[in-house]
Amino acid sequence: MEKTFRNYEAPDVKFTVREHYRKMRTYQTLEYVRSMHKKYLRYDRPMNLWEAMDHLNELIDVSDPDLDLPNVQHLIQSAEAIRHDQRPDWMQLVGLIHDLGKVMFLWGSDEDGTSQKEQWGMVGDVFAVGCTLPESCVYPEFNKLNPDMRHPVYSSELGIYEKHCGLDALILAWGHDEYLYQVLKNHKENRIPEAGMVMIRYHSFYPWHSGGSYQHFLTDKDKEYLNWIKDFNRYDLYTKSETLFDLEDVKDHYAPIAEKYLGDGPIYW
Ligand SMILES: [Fe+2]
Ligand SMILES: [Fe+2]
């Protein structure tokens, strides 16, 4: 039988996945996201790429109903699938690093959902804050728990945004996508092409890229974004398996690519 992914109603989906989304929907308000930007977008913690990868060996994503392995395994599986299909070297690198923003758990806390134990500010499908929550969110029954949905502006369709302002103008729920995107954007030696940066920034934005919501905010440019995301998403999703890799075994292939697009110095987190 073919394996299905992202079935959140399957009987064996753990209570923890649902609980994760209940908390995420409850606590990720516009104000919370702004405070996370202040906390994390400082770029004063130097750490090289491979060290960051090693830290993801310690982390299992509690929001993922499909995989129970350390996150670094998912990164290598994604990258190896992209490599197998002979896709461009930068895309292989994006596969390898796309979830690296989860290293925020090193500086995280239970209170703001960025720790090993509480991950609601770090992982899971994201949505825009400052405007109404769409029914395309997983477990839409939790939308009403968000205090912003009782705010006259933040609960409206346009919220704090303008019609067709474009995806880049939206403030998304805080998580590893935005963190890694901002860290790399700030990284002076970053040469990852725009498509790769978009893959990093929006891969968890399921209500948009898979749910079809937020049409009133989109521009022509975002149609291109959607093509890039769809292209990347199958490697993020359909490569999940129990096959284990050793980072050391694949480093020889990826290290030169990482150096080509990110330089050889530390990245400031
Ligand atoms: Fe991710
Ligand atoms: Fe991923």
Side-chain angles (χ1 to χ4, degrees):
M1 204 179 87
E2 206 174 287
K3 188 172 179 340
T4 55
F5 292 89
R6 292 178 57 82
N7 182 356
Y8 291 91
E9 301 301 339
D12 58 340
V13 165
K14 288 193 250 63
F15 171 75
T16 46
V17 175
R18 194 178 156 86
E19 256 310 272
H20 169 85
Y21 277 104
R22 186 189 61 77
K23 290 179 192 166
M24 188 175 181
R25 212 67 49 75
T26 307
Y27 303 133
Q28 289 250 8
T29 59
L30 177 61
E31 192 190 317
Y32 163 81
V33 174
R34 286 190 169 135
S35 73
M36 289 297 98
H37 288 180
K38 267 198 203 90
K39 173 174 175 179
Y40 281 107
L41 303 181
R42 295 174 16 193
Y43 321 116
D44 58 2
R45 296 174 274 238
M47 180 166 60
N48 85 30
L49 187 72
W50 303 106
E51 201 185 325
M53 295 284 298
D54 280 339
H55 283 299
L56 284 207
N57 244 326
E58 301 152 25
L59 189 76
I60 293 172
D61 184 331
V62 293
S63 74
D64 190 339
D66 301 315
L67 202 62
D68 269 329
L69 294 174
N71 219 246
V72 71
Q73 290 296 332
H74 162 60
L75 290 177
I76 303 170
Q77 287 172 359
S78 306
E80 286 288 279
I82 296 168
R83 175 185 177 189
H84 177 263
D85 284 355
Q86 299 175 308
R87 306 301 304 273
D89 59 353
W90 60 263
M91 193 171 168
Q92 297 175 30
L93 177 66
V94 165
L96 189 73
I97 67 174
H98 73 277
D99 281 340
L100 261 197
K102 295 176 189 174
V103 292
M104 80 171 94
F105 82 94
L106 295 175
W107 312 290
S109 70
D110 292 350
E111 294 70 46
D112 61 23
T114 58
S115 67
Q116 177 99 245
K117 184 165 160 261
E118 296 289 343
Q119 300 184 12
W120 53 265
M122 193 159 71
V123 302
D125 299 1
V126 295
F127 44 84
V129 292
C131 61
T132 196
L133 285 159
E135 285 296 302
S136 59
C137 290
V138 278
Y139 307 117
E141 64 270 30
F142 293 146
N143 288 357
K144 60 178 186 298
L145 302 177
N146 191 298
D148 282 357
M149 292 309 103
R150 292 185 290 278
H151 185 286
V153 177
Y154 305 165
S155 68
S156 64
E157 191 172 22
L158 286 180
I160 58 171
Y161 309 105
E162 274 162 35
K163 235 178 159 119
H164 302 298
C165 57
L167 274 194
D168 291 341
L170 300 181
I171 302 174
L172 300 189
W174 178 248
H176 66 282
D177 302 44
E178 183 69 11
Y179 184 42
L180 181 64
Y181 171 79
Q182 294 295 346
V183 162
L184 294 180
K185 199 175 145 216
N186 177 68
H187 181 58
K188 289 183 187 55
E189 291 185 81
N190 177 27
R191 286 176 288 272
I192 294 173
E194 187 190 7
M197 292 298 282
V198 166
M199 291 167 184
I200 288 169
R201 191 176 198 183
Y202 297 112
H203 71 267
S204 300
F205 197 13
Y206 275 85
W208 161 64
H209 67 63
S210 298
S213 299
Y214 301 109
Q215 294 299 321
H216 47 289
F217 292 135
L218 304 183
T219 62
D220 282 344
K221 192 178 167 194
D222 296 327
K223 289 187 191 131
E224 187 70 63
Y225 280 21
L226 188 61
N227 292 334
W228 291 335
I229 289 287
K230 293 268 184 207
D231 186 16
F232 176 74
N233 188 242
R234 41 203 174 111
Y235 297 107
D236 192 10
L237 193 55
Y238 299 107
T239 59
K240 288 172 186 170
S241 73
E242 299 301 317
T243 314
L244 290 178
F245 290 93
D246 191 327
L247 185 57
E248 291 307 315
D249 293 340
V250 295
K251 232 184 198 172
D252 283 351
H253 175 74
Y254 293 103
I257 305 174
E259 198 174 322
K260 176 176 169 189
Y261 291 100
L262 296 171
D264 56 1
I267 294 169
Y268 288 81
W269 300 83

